[in-house]
Structure formats: structure tokens, C-alpha cells
Amino acid sequence: MEDEAAMAEFVLVPGFWLGAWAWEDVARGLRAAGHGVHPVTLTGLAERAAEATPEVDVRTHADDIVRVIEDGGLRDVVLVGHSGACVPVAGAADRVAERIARIVYVDTAPLPGDMAVIDFNDPRTQGEWREQVAKGDGFRLPPPPFDPAPPFDSLPPFDSSPPFDPATAPDDLAGLTPEHLARLRALSTPQPFATVTQPLPRPTLPADLPTTVITCTFTPDQARTLAATGNPVFAPLAHMDLRPLPTGHWPMLSRPSDLAALLDEIAGG
């Protein structure tokens, strides 16, 4: 009975360009451990790509997450957000905080209020993204090519102080096989651009709401060092549970069993 009481309800939210499909292997591992698992496909992506419109924004995606939690009658939720899902995850948790047991950010972290995901990127990347959108349908950001990047040892030292320059980052695609890359290219769909450019007001989450950051392309020590600078983007990390899972930016594909085991451990803690 004690084991049964310890089981969690996981709501898994993918980052940009992905759908619930990206969590399949992680979900399998969590269900095998006895947890309830609810992978989310956000409006306008994957099997919901036909729902994409210029009006789909961060609030739309926060609504999607809240709907999964409320319609499912879920409580004691471990709300997991990967990458760019950090903003709608925080927005959703703010609205149903009484149902959330813990927030887990996977290779991402909560952004300050009034900061959009695009703002975390360097001006060159921001310009490239806007150009790609303008050359396309005007309201969606195409997926990246998912081409293999140079190995870690050929890259300059990692500097993650905002604005973030991907040229100085570790290999985002580390750990991905050719099969993984082919799957990403085949299944990724354009991201509604308003979800990239729209911030949310600073959430008013309870100060004692447990929060974990799983670090993949950066280390806990790097996060703590950045937090110690007092930079408002990184300062909250000083008070969060930091768990390393060294790999690329897509751990649900590159290390799904390890990610599931770590999430199971976090829920138990």
C-alpha cells in the first residue's frame, strides 16, 4: 500500500516542434514503475498540426496543459516540461498550483516574467528565426535540420549567459543515433511562432512548490555558478533541486530509460 500511495501522475510536455510521440519510451518506463503518465501534444503540433493558426500562443499551450490536468481529475501531478515548454508549463502550474506536487524542467529552467523564449537567444538566432518564419507561412517556425553537430571537444567553452549563443553550446544532438535523427526530421512539425515570442507575466507559484531542473547540456555546477552572479535569469536555480543527466538536448530520445528512472526517483523524493 505504501508503494501504491507513492505513485505519481506525470504530465509530460514536449519542447518546440515535438508532440507526445517524443515521450513514448519515457512514458513506457514510468508506467512500468507504476505511475500514471499523460504525454501532451500541444495545439498546432504533431497530430494536431492542422490546428495551427497565428493565434496559437503561450496561453493556448498553457490552456492545453491545464485541460489535461483538470479533465483528467489529476492531483499530485509531477509536471514535466522540456526546453521551450518551460513558459507554458509555468503558466499552467500557476493556474492549478493546488494540483501540482512538483515541476520538473528538462534541460531548461523557468524564465523570468515577461521574458519569451526568443529573448534567451542571441540576436543572430533571433534574426534567423524571424527570417525563416517570414519566408514560410508567416506564423510558424520550421524545425531545425537535425544535422549532426561537431563533437564536444571541438567546441569552444560553454557560455550560457543570456543572450544564449548556440555556437558556444555543447552538442545538442549528443547521444542521438542516425535513426533518432531521421525520426526527428520525419515527425517534427513547425512551431506556432507566437509561442516563441510571447512571454507570460511572472507566475505567482507557491514559494515552497518543489522544483527540479534536469541538466543535460549544462552541469549543476555551471548552473550554480551562474546563479551566484545574481543574474535574474539564473538566480532562481540557486534554490532548485539540480539533477545531472549528461547527454544532448533531447534526452527523451538519447537516454529515455535513464530519464524515466530519474523522474521516478524525483517523484519518490
Side-chain angles (χ1 to χ4, degrees):
M1 291 299 294
E2 290 180 359
D3 288 343
E4 183 177 336
M7 295 301 99
E9 295 287 352
F10 281 91
V11 174
L12 307 176
V13 187
F16 289 172
W17 306 294
L18 308 181
W21 63 266
W23 295 106
E24 287 175 359
D25 291 340
V26 174
R28 186 178 302 113
L30 289 172
R31 289 187 179 112
H35 299 292
V37 187
H38 312 270
V40 180
T41 292
L42 299 169
T43 300
L45 292 151
E47 71 271 17
R48 301 183 65 186
E51 300 174 41
T53 69
E55 291 70 41
V56 173
D57 59 16
V58 168
R59 290 182 178 85
T60 310
H61 284 179
D63 289 345
D64 290 335
I65 299 166
V66 169
R67 191 173 300 114
V68 169
I69 294 171
E70 290 188 334
D71 289 358
L74 305 182
R75 294 192 176 274
D76 297 321
V77 171
V78 179
L79 179 56
V80 181
H82 168 246
S83 189
C86 60
V87 179
V89 157
D94 191 43
R95 289 168 50 187
V96 290
E98 73 283 357
R99 294 175 179 264
I100 308 299
R102 179 178 292 272
I103 301 178
V104 180
Y105 294 96
V106 178
D107 211 40
T108 188
L111 292 180
D114 301 321
M115 185 176 188
V117 172
I118 196 170
D119 298 327
F120 191 69
N121 291 267
D122 67 289
R124 182 194 64 186
T125 300
Q126 293 184 34
E128 289 176 351
W129 281 3
R130 294 186 188 280
E131 183 178 358
Q132 290 172 29
V133 172
K135 286 182 176 179
D137 57 20
F139 70 93
R140 293 186 298 175
L141 177 66
F146 295 110
D147 289 330
F152 282 104
D153 58 7
S154 70
L155 290 166
F158 179 39
D159 177 11
S160 63
S161 55
F164 174 64
D165 183 354
T168 68
D171 182 1
D172 276 358
L173 304 181
L176 297 179
T177 66
E179 291 74 20
H180 290 141
L181 294 170
R183 193 171 186 223
L184 279 166
R185 295 186 197 108
L187 297 181
S188 296
T189 47
Q191 181 77 21
F193 199 47
T195 68
V196 184
T197 59
Q198 182 192 39
L200 285 176
R202 183 178 297 277
T204 55
L205 294 168
D208 59 350
L209 180 64
T211 303
T212 295
V213 174
I214 296 177
T215 67
C216 299
T217 58
F218 59 102
T219 68
D221 284 345
Q222 286 172 327
R224 293 186 187 101
T225 298
L226 291 165
T229 68
N231 186 302
V233 176
F234 300 106
L237 294 174
H239 309 291
M240 294 179 183
D241 175 38
L242 304 177
R243 304 291 188 100
L245 184 65
T247 186
H249 187 57
W250 318 93
M252 65 282 291
L253 299 177
S254 61
R255 296 185 63 178
S257 296
D258 293 331
L259 179 55
L262 183 54
L263 289 170
D264 175 50
E265 177 184 323
I266 290 167

